[in-house]
């Protein structure tokens, strides 16, 4: 008896496999995260993110140019200030490092690339939380909203085409949309970190931006509990109602069910953030010779797209774009 079904026919050659592939990965599917530090003369390597640096304005501009040559057309900026304070005022200072960098990139690439700004206070606060604290030391949701609105305006003025609030305050998208519209920035896009989980995968990022949460604290009082799936939909729907143009799921590979839910239930673009710890794990195992890091990067990024992400924020953007271009 011959089998009637022969799925293997379509797997015989790499050309056939490419022809029938359900999911594609292109350099333009990536957003590259970049760190820019105030008051440095040289770019500083980030140990736990091999290949990544705290950039100077100069090295940042070169990196963005090199990404553009590889077909990556979107970047998201994180500022690392020289000094921090209680409220995180460096986040909205017109001469704060993120704003200086945004202006430099706007002058270099304008609208040829999509320039995004991460919108949060944790890099700028002494206590390392994503908002301001009340008298009891808890993050004050509503007082933080005003500071996010001010920060969004500073970023839009400096040239951000997209602002990406990542602090998980309730009502943050509405507050930012209102402030942007009132100041004439009706075309500034909001990409909401809608379903952002309190994850152990952010460790290398915190090294990259020099953030330590005061008293060994964590963000479980505002980021989502990884035990919950339905809650992500509720968060994302709320963000879309408030005016989010794009919603994001973060981290990515351990949250593919969430990516899939949001893609199915919502009509806005869905982004997934393949975070610092996901990158670091692949890199570390690769460096030990325990697995093929390039192959695993492709597998993970493709799986994230297969689950439903329209595009991916990833530390692999530059190197995988190069692999794809070969
Ligand atoms: C908060 C923020 C974090 C990341 C992006 N924005 C850290 C956190 O929530 O503690 C982490 C990204 C990564 O790990 O790559 N501003």
């Amino acid at each position: 008896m011959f089998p009637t079904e022969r799925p293997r026919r379509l797997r015989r050659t790499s050309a056939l496999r490419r022809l029938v592939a359900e999911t594609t990965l292109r350099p333009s599917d990536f957003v590259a995260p970049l760190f820019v530090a105030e008051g440095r003369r040289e770019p500083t390597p980030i140990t736990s993110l091999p290949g990544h640096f705290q950039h100077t304005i100069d090295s940042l501009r070169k990196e963005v140019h090199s990404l553009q040559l590889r077909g990556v057309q979107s970047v998201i900026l994180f500022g690392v200030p020289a000094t921090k304070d209680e409220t995180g005022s460096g986040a909205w200072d017109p001469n704060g490092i993120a704003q200086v960098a945004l202006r430099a990139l706007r002058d270099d690439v304008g609208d040829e690339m999509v320039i995004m700004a991460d919108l949060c206070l944790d890099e700028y606060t002494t206590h390392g939380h994503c908002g301001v604290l009340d008298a009891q030391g808890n993050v004050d949701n509503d007082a933080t909203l005003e500071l996010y609105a001010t920060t969004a305006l500073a970023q839009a003025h400096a040239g951000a085409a997209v602002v990406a609030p990542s602090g998980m305050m309730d009502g943050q998208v509405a507050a930012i949309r209102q402030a942007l519209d009132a100041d004439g920035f009706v075309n500034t896009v909001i990409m909401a970190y809608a379903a952002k989980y309190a994850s152990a995968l952010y460790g290398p990022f915190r090294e990259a931006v020099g953030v330590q949460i005061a008293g060994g604290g964590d963000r479980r009082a505002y980021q989502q509990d990884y035990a919950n799936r339905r809650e992500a939909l509720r968060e994302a729907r709320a963000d879309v109602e408030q005016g989010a143009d794009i919603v994001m799921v973060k981290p990515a590979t351990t949250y593919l069910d969430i990516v899939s839910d949001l893609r199915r239930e919502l009509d806005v673009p869905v982004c997934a953030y393949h975070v610092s710890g996901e990158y670091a794990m692949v890199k570390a195992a690769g460096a030990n010779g325990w697995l093929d890091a390039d192959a695993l990067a492709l597998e993970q990024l493709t799986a994230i797209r297969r689950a439903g992400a329209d595009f991916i924020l990833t530390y692999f953007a530059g190197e995988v774009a190069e692999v794809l271009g070969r």
Side-chain angles (χ1 to χ4, degrees):
M1 234 2 237
F2 295 116
T4 47
E5 274 285 313
R6 286 200 187 266
R8 282 185 52 183
R9 268 185 207 129
L10 296 177
R11 299 181 194 141
R12 193 174 54 84
T13 68
S14 104
L16 267 171
R17 290 193 294 272
R18 260 202 306 276
L19 178 70
V20 301
E22 298 174 34
T23 310
T24 57
L25 207 53
R26 304 162 302 175
S28 57
D29 296 329
F30 304 140
V31 181
L34 297 169
F35 302 98
V36 59
E38 192 171 33
R40 300 279 168 82
R41 284 154 165 249
E42 295 292 328
T44 314
I46 302 163
T47 320
S48 54
L49 291 175
H52 287 270
F53 298 85
Q54 290 182 337
H55 283 289
T56 63
I57 296 289
D58 224 42
S59 69
L60 175 78
R61 297 169 72 171
K62 288 189 185 126
E63 179 64 20
V64 169
H65 184 62
S66 127
L67 285 164
Q68 191 180 25
L69 292 178
R70 282 173 271 176
V72 177
Q73 48 137 42
S74 308
V75 297
I76 184 163
L77 270 193
F78 295 92
V80 184
T83 57
K84 307 181 188 226
D85 59 27
E86 274 290 300
T87 57
S89 64
W92 61 85
D93 180 346
N95 293 314
I97 184 62
Q99 277 66 257
V100 173
L102 287 166
R103 285 195 293 269
L105 295 186
R106 179 185 56 190
D107 293 348
D108 284 356
V109 296
D111 279 336
E112 276 173 42
M113 292 178 77
V114 182
I115 302 171
M116 308 185 173
D118 181 78
L119 199 171
C120 200
L121 302 182
D122 63 321
E123 296 94 336
Y124 302 91
T125 54
T126 39
H127 44 75
H129 277 294
C130 296
V132 280
L133 305 183
D134 63 17
Q136 285 75 46
N138 300 315
V139 175
D140 184 334
N141 191 88
D142 298 6
T144 300
L145 294 183
E146 286 174 40
L147 304 181
Y148 283 3
T150 309
T151 305
L153 287 181
Q155 294 176 337
H157 271 286
V162 180
V163 297
S166 64
M168 291 299 278
M169 297 302 130
D170 292 333
Q172 60 184 12
V173 173
I176 291 165
R177 185 71 272 160
Q178 229 167 28
L180 289 171
D181 288 353
D183 218 15
F185 290 104
V186 293
N187 288 323
T188 303
V189 170
I190 298 179
M191 176 168 80
Y193 286 65
K196 175 172 178 178
Y197 285 87
S199 170
L201 289 165
Y202 306 147
F205 176 91
R206 295 189 188 153
E207 180 204 334
V209 293
V211 168
Q212 266 181 327
I213 305 176
D218 58 51
R219 306 202 195 292
R220 287 183 225 192
Y222 44 104
Q223 297 180 348
Q224 279 180 242
D225 181 345
Y226 53 70
N228 298 344
R229 178 170 179 171
R230 290 190 305 267
E231 188 188 10
L233 206 44
R234 181 172 173 218
E235 281 276 3
R237 283 206 176 104
D239 282 357
V240 172
E241 270 163 32
Q242 289 171 40
D245 301 289
I246 301 169
V247 292
M248 190 205 281
V249 175
K250 173 184 176 187
T253 48
T254 36
Y255 297 87
L256 295 183
D257 53 337
I258 312 299
V259 172
S260 162
D261 287 355
L262 264 53
R263 175 61 294 142
R264 188 170 353 92
E265 298 292 332
L266 304 173
D267 293 323
V268 296
V270 173
C271 167
Y273 194 155
H274 188 258
V275 302
S276 60
E278 299 178 280
Y279 175 85
M281 287 194 291
V282 175
K283 281 294 191 184
N288 269 304
W290 293 343
L291 48 74
D292 179 340
D294 282 351
L296 182 56
L298 280 175
E299 181 178 335
Q300 290 196 354
L301 297 173
T302 303
I304 295 165
R305 292 259 304 129
R306 190 194 64 226
D310 296 287
F311 60 94
I312 308 169
L313 215 160
T314 173
Y315 299 89
F316 277 115
E319 34 182 307
V320 170
E322 203 170 318
V323 171
L324 294 173
R326 274 182 209 144

